[in-house]
Amino acid sequence: FSAVAENNKCHHVLSQHIVYHVTVINKRSMEVCVDSIESALNATRGGASRLEVCSSLAEGGLTPSTGLLRVITDNVAIPCYAMIRPRGGDFVYSELELQVMEKDVEMM
């Protein structure tokens, strides 16, 4: 895993046929969006400062399973944050979708 990124820019990096979404937070921090344990381990070995754990990166990222989040946090030593997003598409949510998101946060 390697990335060349500018301050506050998002980049997509291909490593062993896996696409990572990389955000450089500042000159010393790099967040990587991951949707598998393999991606999390590779990002950690590659120097990520923190991970955003999600599922379905191809859809822009959705809420990950609690199992994936737990296995990743048990196996990496950097901070992990879960994306809370119930579906792809826009970011305008119905009242029921907001309830789903609240329940997802409670379960994490």
Side-chain angles (χ1 to χ4, degrees):
F1 176 81
S2 63
V4 175
E6 297 172 25
N7 201 18
N8 297 322
K9 300 288 183 177
C10 297
H11 300 274
H12 295 279
V13 179
L14 180 63
S15 175
Q16 297 177 348
H17 309 290
I18 300 170
V19 176
Y20 299 91
H21 180 82
V22 178
T23 302
V24 176
I25 300 159
N26 59 48
K27 291 181 182 180
R28 296 184 190 130
S29 296
M30 179 174 54
E31 178 182 82
V32 179
C33 297
V34 298
D35 63 358
S36 69
I37 185 64
E38 179 186 8
S39 295
L41 295 174
N42 287 340
T44 302
R45 283 190 290 264
S49 302
R50 67 185 196 185
L51 301 176
E52 180 179 61
V53 182
C54 59
S55 65
S56 302
L57 276 175
E59 290 188 61
L62 302 176
T63 303
S65 71
T66 54
L68 177 62
L69 184 61
R70 296 276 191 260
V71 170
I72 289 174
T73 58
D74 287 347
N75 286 279
V76 300
I78 59 175
C80 298
Y81 300 90
M83 173 177 276
I84 304 298
R85 186 175 179 218
R87 59 165 172 73
D90 64 27
F91 293 90
V92 179
Y93 300 112
S94 70
E95 186 59 38
L96 290 175
E97 289 171 322
L98 291 172
Q99 289 177 26
V100 168
M101 295 167 77
E102 289 174 5
K103 294 295 182 187
D104 284 339
V105 169
E106 290 173 10
M107 306 266 312
M108 300 284 166

